[in-house]
Amino acid sequence: MPSSKPEPSIRPDPTNRPTPPEAPELIWLRPERTGRGPRPAHSRDSIAAAAIGIADTEGLDAASMRRVAAALGAGTMSLYNYVPKKEHLLDLMLDAVAAEYRLPPEPSGDVRADLTDLAHQQLAIFRRHPWAPALVLARPGIGPNALRYTDHFLAVTAPTGLGGGLRMEAMALFNGFVCQFAQYEQTAAAGAKWQAEMVGYLGQAAASGEYPHLAQAFATAGPPADPDQAFDRTLNRVISAILAPTEEG
């Protein structure tokens, strides 16, 4: 028999609310615009361009969110609506720099020539943006322009017959060499006194007789090499290593 007592009303528990989905960590998974509301005053491209301008002239540390916001004439907190984290800003900067590659629609088929051109483009980009090599090594870019570069590299190296994994390893070797060379150039240019002292110190060590192989290298080294010639010589060795057949290939 049904109870004559009224059933208690069910009231929603304000504490029992669904947890909103966590925002993606990668900025590339976050939509730039939701499609609602007024048109934004800024864009990821304009923010990245402002940050790059600061980093090129004053170094990467100077490209703070506050400085970038000031360059754009925006409030610092408003910038976080476009770029939620400083790491996201770095990702945008690297991908904007990667847009500077001039990649042909298709590789020429000459793997060595195509890789040489790619390396020269990369070194030129790093010379224009001295902050970029260290950032590439610490936080490799995976934005749309970086993926375009990656896809081109894989297309260029397809004639080697190496599998996709080995070609990705080859790209890491290739990029790492260019980054390290660019960083060495910066160190040499910024520390002429240190360079001179290092050469003198190594000369003394070689003359001591304790390091016979170093002494032999110094005796046959000749004058300092032109940076571009040194780059091409070492690049040829790196490309030869990429082209060498492997058991896994």
Side-chain angles (χ1 to χ4, degrees):
M1 181 177 180
S3 172
S4 59
K5 295 181 180 179
E7 295 185 4
S9 60
I10 301 176
R11 297 180 180 178
D13 183 355
T15 63
N16 187 23
R17 294 177 180 173
T19 303
E22 186 177 357
E25 175 63 24
L26 292 177
I27 193 167
W28 311 116
L29 296 176
R30 295 169 177 250
E32 183 167 6
R33 290 191 62 189
T34 62
R36 298 188 299 270
R39 184 175 183 84
H42 307 288
S43 68
R44 289 177 178 175
D45 288 344
S46 65
I47 292 169
I52 288 170
I54 296 169
D56 285 350
T57 56
E58 301 179 49
L60 188 60
D61 289 342
S64 65
M65 299 291 274
R66 179 182 61 81
R67 286 289 309 280
V68 174
L72 293 169
T76 303
M77 296 309 297
S78 70
L79 207 63
Y80 286 96
N81 293 325
Y82 304 89
V83 186
K85 297 170 61 175
K86 176 63 181 289
E87 289 81 5
H88 293 158
L89 178 62
L90 300 178
D91 291 340
L92 293 175
M93 292 169 68
L94 270 187
D95 204 59
V97 164
E100 296 180 17
Y101 286 102
R102 295 295 174 257
L103 306 177
E106 297 291 339
S108 71
D110 185 334
V111 179
R112 185 177 291 274
D114 287 348
L115 288 179
T116 299
D117 174 69
L118 203 57
H120 284 169
Q121 287 197 54
Q122 188 171 119
L123 182 61
I125 289 171
F126 288 160
R127 284 171 172 172
R128 291 194 294 270
H129 309 290
W131 50 269
L135 189 55
V136 168
L137 292 173
R139 190 179 176 87
I142 57 171
N145 291 312
L147 292 180
R148 184 172 63 96
Y149 167 91
T150 300
D151 198 67
H152 179 72
F153 186 96
L154 293 173
V156 164
T157 53
T160 63
L162 296 174
L166 290 178
R167 278 149 57 213
M168 292 293 287
E169 290 178 5
M171 186 178 70
L173 170 68
F174 180 87
N175 292 344
F177 159 67
V178 182
C179 286
Q180 293 286 0
F181 189 92
Q183 287 186 305
Y184 175 77
E185 275 194 330
Q186 295 172 26
T187 301
K193 184 174 184 294
W194 176 85
Q195 282 283 110
E197 290 180 353
M198 182 185 69
V199 171
Y201 169 74
L202 291 177
Q204 292 177 9
S208 70
E210 297 182 41
Y211 312 99
H213 297 288
L214 178 64
Q216 183 183 23
F218 261 68
T220 58
D226 174 79
D228 290 329
Q229 293 178 355
F231 179 76
D232 282 335
R233 277 199 305 272
T234 311
L235 174 63
N236 279 329
R237 297 190 186 98
V238 172
I239 294 176
S240 294
I242 290 173
L243 298 180
T246 65
E247 294 180 2
E248 295 85 355

